[in-house]
Every structure is written in structure tokens, then in C-alpha cells.
């Protein structure tokens, strides 16, 4: 006979918080479930149930790129290892031939395990928040707990979001000197032990929910040989990279080298682990502060802070504008003159344009899931201005393939370049010949990534 425990049955729905260190959501759930049971869940493909503009539009993709899949799987495997050391394990809800609807799987799990509380991390992802609304409506008796894990501030630290990043940065730096504050940024303590998973779930051998490394992308990986990459998903790998980066001289020259197209140490590369929450921005900022105290504080170390602030701005930009992040006219009043041309779109996707620097960047993206910030600006500018295409198709292709895909930064930056976002000067167009001469004068990057078409060679 089943006996209801006196404690709570708590469920964490992981999303952009795939870590155990500095994770307020995990800490909250650990406290709530102290005398009860704890379910730790990651659910893929929840967006499929939403009948919204983004998922129903022609620019919606169906399959995550191989490199991004691999990075996610590595991140989940690392998270599962950490959770097992704390006495629990990760449940991974994903499509199967017999159960293709992960939202239904999640609801069945909630009902079967008599969940009393759900813990999630605050997110700027409009459609993920719509999933939470649907869950709340379906289970009104469940208590919800929303914690901050992805940002420097728990809420927008200003009365209103400024129209440009520059205005935002100046106001934040005037009111909050986080880079030079007397005390380090507070880090949430890691739980020493987690409540166990419900016995009824463990005893049911037919459950396929327990995480298995590589379950989603093994076939895709076997079908496409991956280029070697320094990016390895997961909190432990992110912390190792953080340590090695700040133990080097790279931070002191970041502003000089950050526009390089392909060198590992020329930019911080934190974005991939930040995007899915394997690293917290607080942890990175504290390590940067230490570097400034112990090694050097210069324009380059300040510029790392500058980029963390830019990330913060786009997070609150997405929170402020919600579904407008995906609108063709963005947050503006005028519809762009660009349109869809399927042939040009495929040429851009395949790195088959008349622009070698663009082709090289696109080949790099498809093979590795990575593209430098400079490369992203160049290929987006080409997409919008030289090819005259609807910017949303470009943003969606980035979403499909970038291992550091972040909804706010990706869609916010595409709007910025398309002239429908946070830029008072309108469209940003780059001279591709001039940019090539500046950032790849010897053609090394173009040659490495086969940017020159055979018929042009």
C-alpha cells in the first residue's frame, strides 16, 4: 500500500540553469524537499505544443544542429553526474516513438508523483514562460517558486529599459559599481545533499525517464563527423575553462584580440556555458574582479565586464519586449523591405555566396557550432543587406546551430543589425571587402574554412 509522505514532493524543471554551483533554484528546491522527495527534470521539445507565431512560421526549424545537440548532451551528462553525487539523478523527458509529446509526459509525471511544488529559474524566453503558464493553469494547486540564476540583477535595476545599450551601461555603471564593489558578488551555496527521488518512480522499471548520455543525438553524430572543438559542455568543463582563461594572459589583451575570427584564446568563449547556465554570470564576474585585483586592471579587463553588461541588457530587452522579439518589424513601427528568397537563403546557409568571408564563417558554424562575434556581424549584415533576406530566417538558423544560443542575445542582436531593434542609428551594414582585409588579410581563415567557391578559384 502506498503511504503519502508528510513532506513535499518538489519538482525542478531545468532550462537555462544546468549546474549545481550558484543555483538558487536548486537550493530552494533542496530546502523545500528536506523531508520529502525531489524530482529533477529536463524536458526537450516542450515548445512543440505552442500554437504561436514563432513555432508555426516558415522560419521555424525542426532539428537542432549536431554541434548544439552534442554540447547540450554533454551539459546534461555533467549535470547528472553532479546530481548523483548529491544523492539524486536527472530525469530527461524527450520524444520517443511511443511517447512523442514531452509536455504530456511532464504532466503525467507531475500527476503520478503528486507534485506539491515546482521550482524554475527566471528566464527571458517568452515561449518557455508560456509553457510555465500552461503548467500553472493545468495544475493550479501546485505552488510555484521562481528564482534568479541567469542575471546580475534579480529584476530590471532601472525604472525603464533605455532604448540603447550605451544608455543602459552608463546608468548601471553610475548606480551599481559591481566591478569594483568592496565585496564579491554573493554566490548561492551548493546543497550538501539532495532529497531522494520518489520510491514509486525508482521501482517502476518501465520508466524511460532517467537520463542516458547521448540518447537524443547519437544517430545525428554518427551521420556527421564533428570537427574537433575545445567546447565541451557541462559545469565542470565550464569551470575548467574559466580557470585556464584567467590563469593566462588572455584577459589583459581581450579588447585587442576579441575580433579575431578563429583563435581560441582571443576571446573569452564563456558564452556557451553561460547560455545554458552551466556557468553563472556571478561566478565569472567574481573571477574577473580577482584578476583585476591580483594581476592587472586595464581596458581589456574592463571590456570583459562591458560584454557581461551587454548580455544583461539584452536579457532585460527580451523580458521587456516579449513576443516582439520575434516580430518582423521588431520593436519598431516600420516593416523592413527585405523578403524571403529561398535560393539565396540556401546559398547563405550552405556557405555558397559570392562573399568568401561569409562562406568561411558559415562553414565554420555548421561544422563546429561556433562563430566569432565579428563573424556573426558580417554574415548577418550580408544576409540583410547584400542578400535582402528576412532577418528572422537568419536568426532561426543561428538558433538551430549555435552552441551558445541565447534567445535574448541572438534575436536582440539580429534586430539590432536589421534596424528594427535597440539601435538609434538604424541598420548596420558592413563593407565585406574592407572587413576581410582587416580581419583576414592573408586569407588564412577563408582558406581554412573553404570560403572561396571552386568556380571562383
Amino acid at each position: 500500500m502506498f503511504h503519502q509522505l508528510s513532506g513535499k514532493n518538489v519538482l525542478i524543471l531545468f532550462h537555462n540553469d544546468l549546474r549545481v554551483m550558484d543555483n538558487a533554484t536548486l537550493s530552494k528546491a533542496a530546502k523545500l524537499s528536506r523531508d520529502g522527495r525531489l524530482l529533477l527534470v529536463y524536458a526537450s521539445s516542450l515548445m512543440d505544443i505552442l500554437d504561436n507565431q514563432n513555432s508555426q512560421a516558415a522560419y521555424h526549424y525542426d532539428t537542432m544542429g549536431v554541434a548544439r545537440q552534442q554540447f547540450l548532451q554533454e551539459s546534461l551528462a555533467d549535470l547528472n553526474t553532479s546530481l548523483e553525487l548529491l544523492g539524486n539523478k536527472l530525469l530527461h523527458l524527450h520524444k520517443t516513438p511511443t511517447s512523442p509529446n514531452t509536455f504530456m509526459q511532464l504532466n503525467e509525471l507531475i500527476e503520478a508523483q503528486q507534485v506539491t511544488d515546482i521550482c524554475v529559474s527566471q528566464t527571458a524566453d517568452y515561449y518557455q514562460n508560456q509553457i510555465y503558464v500552461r503548467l500553472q493553469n493545468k495544475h493550479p494547486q501546485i505552488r510555484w517558486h521562481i528564482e534568479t540564476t541567469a542575471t546580475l540583477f534579480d529584476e530590471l535595476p532601472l525604472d525603464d529599459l533605455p532604448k540603447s545599450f550605451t544608455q543602459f551601461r552608463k546608468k548601471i555603471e553610475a548606480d551599481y559599481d559591481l566591478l569594483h564593489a568592496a565585496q564579491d558578488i554573493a554566490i548561492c551555496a551548493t546543497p550538501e545533499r539532495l532529497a531522494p527521488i520518489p520510491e514509486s518512480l525508482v521501482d517502476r522499471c518501465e520508466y524511460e525517464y532517467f537520463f542516458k548520455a547521448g540518447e537524443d543525438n547519437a544517430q545525428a553524430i554518427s551521420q556527421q563527423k564533428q570537427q574537433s572543438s575545445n567546447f565541451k559542455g557541462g559545469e565542470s568543463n565550464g569551470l575548467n575553462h574559466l580557470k585556464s582563461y584567467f590563469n593566462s594572459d588572455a584577459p589583459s589583451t581581450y579588447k585587442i584580440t576579441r575580433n579575431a575570427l578563429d583563435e581560441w584564446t582571443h576571446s573569452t568563449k564563456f558564452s556557451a556555458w553561460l547560455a545554458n547556465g552551466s556557468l553563472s554570470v556571478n561566478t565569472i564576474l567574481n573571477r574577473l574582479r580577482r584578476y583585476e585585483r591580483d594581476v592587472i586592471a586595464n581596458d581589456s579587463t574592463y571590456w570583459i565586464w562591458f560584454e557581461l553588461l551587454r548580455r544583461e541588457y539584452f536579457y532585460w530587452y527580451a523580458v521587456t519586449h516579449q513576443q516582439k522579439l520575434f516580430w518582423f518589424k521588431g520593436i519598431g513601427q516600420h516593416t523592413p523591405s527585405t523578403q524571403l528568397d529561398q535560393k539565396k537563403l540556401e546559398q547563405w546557409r550552405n556557405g555558397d555566396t559570392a562573399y568568401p568571408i561569409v562562406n568561411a564563417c558559415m562553414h565554420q558554424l555548421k561544422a563546429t557550432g561556433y562563430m566569432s562575434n565579428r563573424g556573426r556581424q558580417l554574415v548577418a549584415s550580408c544576409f540583410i543587406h547584400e542578400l535582402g533576406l528576412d532577418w528572422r530566417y537568419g536568426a532561426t538558423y543561428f538558433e538551430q546551430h549555435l552552441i551558445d544560443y541565447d534567445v535574448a542575445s541572438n534575436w536582440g542582436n539580429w534586430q539590432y543589425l536589421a534596424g528594427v531593434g535597440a539601435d538609434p542609428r538604424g541598420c548596420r551594414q558592413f563593407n565585406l571587402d574592407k572587413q576581410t582585409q582587416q580581419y583576414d588579410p592573408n586569407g588564412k581563415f577563408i582558406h581554412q574554412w573553404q570560403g572561396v567557391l571552386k568556380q571562383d578559384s
Side-chain angles (χ1 to χ4, degrees), residues 107 176 280 398 411 421 433:
N107 281 286
Y176 306 92
S280 80
F398 272 21
W411 288 82
D433 289 336

Side-chain angles (χ1 to χ4, degrees), residues 83-187:
L83 295 175
E84 286 183 334
L85 291 174
L86 295 176
N88 206 300
K89 62 175 62 178
L90 186 64
L91 307 178
H92 186 190
L93 311 186
H94 59 100
K95 292 181 180 180
T96 67
T98 57
S99 184
N101 188 319
T102 53
F103 187 78
M104 186 178 296
Q105 291 178 35
L106 179 58
N107 281 286
E108 290 173 351
L109 185 66
I110 289 170
E111 292 169 1
Q113 301 306 320
Q114 300 179 320
V115 169
T116 60
D117 296 75
I118 292 178
C119 296
V120 298
S121 292
Q122 184 186 67
T123 176
D125 190 329
Y126 173 78
Y127 294 116
Q128 183 72 16
N129 285 322
Q130 295 306 298
I131 294 291
Y132 297 156
V133 170
R134 289 206 176 193
L135 284 173
Q136 288 174 305
N137 290 339
K138 193 169 183 63
H139 307 282
Q141 78 286 0
I142 293 178
R143 291 176 291 273
W144 279 70
H145 310 269
I146 302 175
E147 303 295 325
T148 302
T149 62
T151 53
L152 294 168
F153 300 96
D154 291 349
E155 57 185 19
L156 179 63
L158 306 171
D159 293 336
D160 297 294
L161 183 73
K163 293 182 179 180
S164 72
F165 165 67
T166 299
Q167 294 171 347
F168 175 81
R169 175 182 60 81
K170 289 180 177 178
K171 288 184 178 182
I172 292 297
E173 290 183 332
D175 296 343
Y176 306 92
D177 191 12
L178 297 184
L179 186 59
H180 305 109
Q183 301 295 324
D184 277 354
I185 309 302
I187 297 294

